[in-house]
Amino acid sequence: MRGTGRTTLEEVAAHAGVSTMTASRALSQPRLVSDATRAKVELAVAELGYVPNRAARALASAQSRVIVALVPSLSNVVFTAVLDGIQDALAAGDYQLLIGNTRYSDAEEEKLLRTYLQSNPDGILLSSLSHSPEVARMLAASRVPAVSMMDLADEADVDRMSVGFSQLDAGGALTRHLLGRGYRRIAFIGAQLDERTLRRADGYRQAMRAAGLADPRLEIMTPEPSTIALGAELMRQALETLPDCDAVFCCNDDLAHGAIYYCQRHAVRVPQDVAIAGFNDLPASAWMVPSLTTVDTPRYRIGYEAATLLLDVVGGRVPRATRVDLGFTLRERESA
Amino acid sequence: MRGTGRTTLEEVAAHAGVSTMTASRALSQPRLVSDATRAKVELAVAELGYVPNRAARALASAQSRVIVALVPSLSNVVFTAVLDGIQDALAAGDYQLLIGNTRYSDAEEEKLLRTYLQSNPDGILLSSLSHSPEVARMLAASRVPAVSMMDLADEADVDRMSVGFSQLDAGGALTRHLLGRGYRRIAFIGAQLDERTLRRADGYRQAMRAAGLADPRLEIMTPEPSTIALGAELMRQALETLPDCDAVFCCNDDLAHGAIYYCQRHAVRVPQDVAIAGFNDLPASAWMVPSLTTVDTPRYRIGYEAATLLLDVVGGRVPRATRVDLGFTLRERESA
DNA sequence: CTGAAAGCGCTAACAA
DNA sequence: TTGTTAGCGCTTTCAG
């Protein structure tokens, strides 16, 4: 006695008085089957409550119809928006999405990829450009098409597919905005120190250097995860150690929110005493008091376009582009 | 020419000079194999870069090692925390988690369940107690063990497994806290109107009635999704239509944040002019100014314990309890 | 448009 | 401890 005990396609076929193969066709390639036959099969399916067995289909067809998405966090709205976009793009085809949460850890990413490759995915969506050597090896060995999300690959790197925007440019643009408002001693508060944060910091640094205002002491960096609490703490440090600091560029909105709350509690006026800017434009940023100057990032579209590009490649279609720059938008508000 | 072209277990076995079955055992039940044989197989696996084919395993063993989790939203930190808990509980065994985002829609839930049942899951985690008739039918027909998360099933409902806390009691407790602080005209602001919100509203209503202060005009309800913007808008409505209102119970923290920001912008003092309370204790709630009085809910543990319970049942073990009340904690802060 | 045969890659069941 | 055989439920392939 093996098997799951569920109704099989063979039983459906018998019930409908056709061969298994015809029943199979009626369900997956209905055009190849006559109307009458299809109706018989559909009736049998309904009467028997047939549920196709995906494992059997995957094994026989050598096609899993599985897409893997690896994101560094689920508690960050940025990545859940990316996932929303992916799911919408996948909704049409009957693809199954396997979501892996790497928790910003190379070891976790490796473990997840190893597991998910067992499902023989048709494609993979990644949240960063660089990976541990072992992950890079597994990706290459698997020969599964992969698209990197969030940042853009080097233009020279033609084999690489990527959808996102230039974190470097965005960091530069926000810094130049602050410089344009007349701020001179602009601190950079960075946490987590993932790839994207470091690129934003690069953008900040370049802009400060171009203005002749670069100063390494202005950079307050920590590998701790970004939280509101940490934002408050780093703001305290900034005010304490940099008395002449007139603006703070927080590497993301979570930190910026914490920084603003800290200032509110300690009667530091924003932006009169110190300006504060963030990154990502989270939902609260437009509503808080003062409203937060930040960079709006197209995360939903990143997910949507990345999945669309991947499906094109998987389906053997020629994509319009393999490097898709979706840009970013500066949101100039009250805080800076 | 069929198949994926990948290395198969048969090739590994040949390379190691053993039978396919022995190679299979060496990988999945290493204790049944001698040390020498196991070493040979492991070497072959490494040399050939063998990746097991999960579909084949699922088909042959009639066991998918897949757990499905259905949540109403990914952009809500509450449910991503639940998912974190689930993933941690699942980390030990080699289970694969299929995450379905129903977007608060019965139709979506139905579609997702129909798709995911094709993977013959070993267990299902649900985010609500009640479901559409079709979903209920599919769940029953599939005979897959299911655990409901967030709210608790009726104690009489012995067959039902559930992990969470009483939304009714929590709504009542928060309302009684407000009454204890002397507030009398307490409005209830509700959005989304999902099952959990409605139960909290019930708790509010019962507490108000017990105090002889019930008044249907105090309830401002809308099926729109909860957002900060909506919280601000509903707060405006409350202040406008209920001039004597002295406190507002927001059905979740998102709305409460919007309400507080609205008051800040319009020089309404919280809690002096009007008190505001929320539900869920989101990260920002403890840090904003004024800090938000709310109910802390054990969502991470709900996910963890629900998955643990499900694995017990799936594994044929007898669980300690099939109805797990994890309680809630009132956070008394500045806003109410 | 329909069907028969074979096999995807693995493990259950039994035998040695 | 190891091997043999059969088969999981479906689709590919080829023949009608």
Side-chain angles (χ1 to χ4, degrees):
Chain A
M1 183 60 187
R2 295 177 64 178
T4 56
R6 297 174 178 241
T7 304
T8 68
L9 191 57
E10 198 179 343
E11 291 167 326
V12 170
H15 195 86
V18 299
S19 75
T20 315
M21 198 52 236
T22 301
S24 171
R25 283 202 197 92
L27 296 181
S28 36
Q29 306 173 70
R31 299 170 177 210
L32 298 183
V33 163
S34 75
D35 288 357
T37 314
R38 193 176 341 114
K40 277 192 295 184
V41 173
E42 279 165 2
L43 184 66
V45 164
E47 288 187 353
L48 300 178
Y50 171 68
V51 177
N53 183 325
R54 227 177 151 102
R57 171 191 287 229
L59 184 58
S61 68
Q63 270 233 328
S64 62
R65 299 231 130 220
V66 161
I67 299 287
V68 167
L70 260 29
V71 295
S73 162
L74 281 183
S75 43
N76 187 332
V77 183
V78 169
F79 293 105
T80 59
V82 169
L83 290 173
D84 271 341
I86 294 172
Q87 282 174 327
D88 282 346
L90 255 45
D94 125 84
Y95 280 94
Q96 209 161 69
L97 181 63
L98 283 180
I99 299 170
N101 177 1
T102 68
R103 309 185 192 207
Y104 290 101
S105 147
D106 278 0
E108 276 282 336
E109 183 171 34
E110 213 172 293
K111 200 175 136 200
L112 285 167
L113 188 59
R114 195 183 311 281
T115 303
Y116 286 153
L117 282 177
Q118 300 183 355
S119 298
N120 188 29
D122 292 347
I124 303 180
L125 293 160
L126 302 163
S127 300
S128 52
L129 289 170
S130 65
H131 302 278
S132 72
E134 177 62 7
V135 165
R137 198 198 55 70
M138 286 195 285
L139 283 171
S142 73
R143 310 179 137 279
V144 178
V147 174
S148 297
M149 303 184 289
M150 307 314 288
D151 209 340
L152 295 168
D154 258 16
E155 295 199 60
D157 210 343
V158 188
D159 298 336
R160 206 71 177 282
M161 299 191 282
S162 60
V163 177
F165 62 94
S166 168
Q167 305 276 343
L168 181 83
D169 290 354
L174 183 55
T175 308
R176 282 188 294 278
H177 164 78
L178 294 173
L179 291 167
R181 287 261 164 128
Y183 301 110
R184 286 296 169 263
R185 293 289 287 169
I186 305 170
F188 184 92
I189 285 183
Q192 195 78 64
L193 306 188
D194 58 282
E195 197 179 304
R196 292 164 293 286
T197 298
L198 294 177
R199 293 298 282 166
R200 283 171 214 159
D202 284 344
Y204 154 83
R205 212 168 289 132
Q206 288 181 11
M208 290 295 275
R209 202 173 301 129
L213 294 168
D215 180 349
R217 287 170 300 183
L218 290 170
E219 298 182 23
I220 302 180
M221 309 283 251
T222 163
E224 284 178 70
S226 287
T227 60
I228 291 177
L230 182 63
E233 163 59 17
L234 295 179
M235 189 69 206
R236 188 191 62 70
Q237 280 182 35
L239 292 174
E240 216 160 80
T241 61
L242 304 165
D244 61 341
C245 157
D246 54 7
V248 175
F249 176 171
C250 299
C251 77
N252 63 48
D253 276 12
D254 296 284
L255 294 180
H257 293 175
I260 285 186
Y261 294 142
Y262 178 88
C263 290
Q264 283 183 1
R265 286 238 172 258
H266 296 84
V268 178
R269 293 168 308 159
V270 179
Q272 295 86 343
D273 298 334
V274 63
I276 294 178
F279 201 100
N280 275 332
D281 196 19
L282 297 189
S285 300
W287 292 91
M288 60 194 316
V289 184
S291 60
L292 181 66
T293 291
T294 185
V295 173
D296 190 1
T297 55
R299 50 245 188 197
Y300 174 88
R301 283 200 62 214
I302 288 176
Y304 191 91
E305 298 297 336
T308 303
L309 167 56
L310 187 60
L311 288 191
D312 277 347
V313 173
V314 166
R317 294 180 292 279
V318 178
R320 261 178 285 169
T322 56
R323 184 177 180 279
V324 182
D325 186 351
L326 296 175
F328 55 86
T329 310
L330 200 60
R331 299 279 175 221
E332 306 183 14
R333 301 210 182 96
E334 296 163 349
S335 72
Chain B
M1 183 64 187
R2 295 177 63 179
T4 55
R6 299 175 176 239
T7 304
T8 67
L9 191 58
E10 199 179 342
E11 292 166 325
V12 170
H15 195 87
V18 299
S19 74
T20 315
M21 196 56 232
T22 300
S24 170
R25 284 200 196 94
L27 296 180
S28 37
Q29 307 172 70
R31 301 172 176 207
L32 299 182
V33 163
S34 75
D35 288 356
T37 314
R38 195 180 334 118
K40 277 193 293 185
V41 173
E42 279 165 2
L43 184 66
V45 164
E47 287 186 356
L48 300 177
Y50 170 68
V51 176
N53 182 325
R54 227 178 152 100
R57 170 191 286 229
L59 186 57
S61 67
Q63 270 233 327
S64 62
R65 297 234 131 218
V66 161
I67 299 287
V68 167
L70 260 31
V71 295
S73 163
L74 281 184
S75 43
N76 186 332
V77 184
V78 170
F79 293 106
T80 58
V82 169
L83 290 173
D84 270 342
I86 294 171
Q87 283 174 326
D88 283 345
L90 255 44
D94 130 83
Y95 279 93
Q96 208 160 69
L97 181 63
L98 283 179
I99 299 171
N101 178 0
T102 69
R103 306 184 195 209
Y104 290 102
S105 147
D106 279 359
E108 276 283 336
E109 183 171 32
E110 212 172 295
K111 201 176 134 201
L112 285 167
L113 189 58
R114 195 183 312 282
T115 303
Y116 287 154
L117 282 177
Q118 299 182 356
S119 298
N120 187 29
D122 292 348
I124 302 181
L125 293 161
L126 302 162
S127 300
S128 52
L129 289 170
S130 65
H131 302 277
S132 72
E134 178 61 8
V135 165
R137 197 197 56 69
M138 285 195 286
L139 283 172
S142 73
R143 309 179 140 279
V144 178
V147 173
S148 297
M149 302 184 290
M150 307 314 289
D151 208 342
L152 296 168
D154 258 17
E155 296 199 60
D157 211 342
V158 188
D159 298 336
R160 206 70 175 283
M161 297 191 284
S162 60
V163 177
F165 62 94
S166 169
Q167 304 275 345
L168 182 82
D169 289 354
L174 183 55
T175 308
R176 282 189 295 277
H177 164 77
L178 294 173
L179 291 167
R181 288 261 165 127
Y183 300 111
R184 286 295 168 266
R185 292 289 288 168
I186 305 169
F188 184 92
I189 285 182
Q192 195 77 66
L193 305 188
D194 57 281
E195 196 180 307
R196 293 164 292 286
T197 298
L198 294 176
R199 293 298 283 165
R200 283 170 214 160
D202 284 343
Y204 154 83
R205 212 169 289 131
Q206 287 180 11
M208 290 296 275
R209 202 173 301 129
L213 294 168
D215 179 350
R217 287 170 300 183
L218 290 170
E219 298 182 22
I220 302 181
M221 309 284 250
T222 164
E224 282 178 72
S226 289
T227 60
I228 291 177
L230 181 62
E233 163 59 18
L234 295 179
M235 189 70 207
R236 188 192 62 72
Q237 279 183 36
L239 292 174
E240 215 161 80
T241 61
L242 303 166
D244 60 342
C245 158
D246 54 8
V248 176
F249 175 169
C250 299
C251 76
N252 63 49
D253 276 12
D254 296 284
L255 294 180
H257 294 175
I260 285 185
Y261 294 142
Y262 178 88
C263 290
Q264 284 183 0
R265 285 239 172 257
H266 296 84
V268 178
R269 294 168 308 160
V270 179
Q272 295 85 346
D273 299 334
V274 63
I276 294 178
F279 202 99
N280 274 333
D281 196 18
L282 297 190
S285 299
W287 292 92
M288 60 194 315
V289 184
S291 59
L292 181 66
T293 292
T294 186
V295 173
D296 190 359
T297 56
R299 52 248 187 195
Y300 174 88
R301 283 199 62 213
I302 288 176
Y304 191 91
E305 298 297 335
T308 304
L309 168 57
L310 187 60
L311 288 191
D312 277 348
V313 173
V314 166
R317 293 180 292 280
V318 178
R320 261 178 285 168
T322 56
R323 183 177 182 277
V324 182
D325 186 352
L326 295 176
F328 55 86
T329 310
L330 200 59
R331 299 280 176 221
E332 306 184 15
R333 301 209 182 97
E334 296 162 351
S335 73

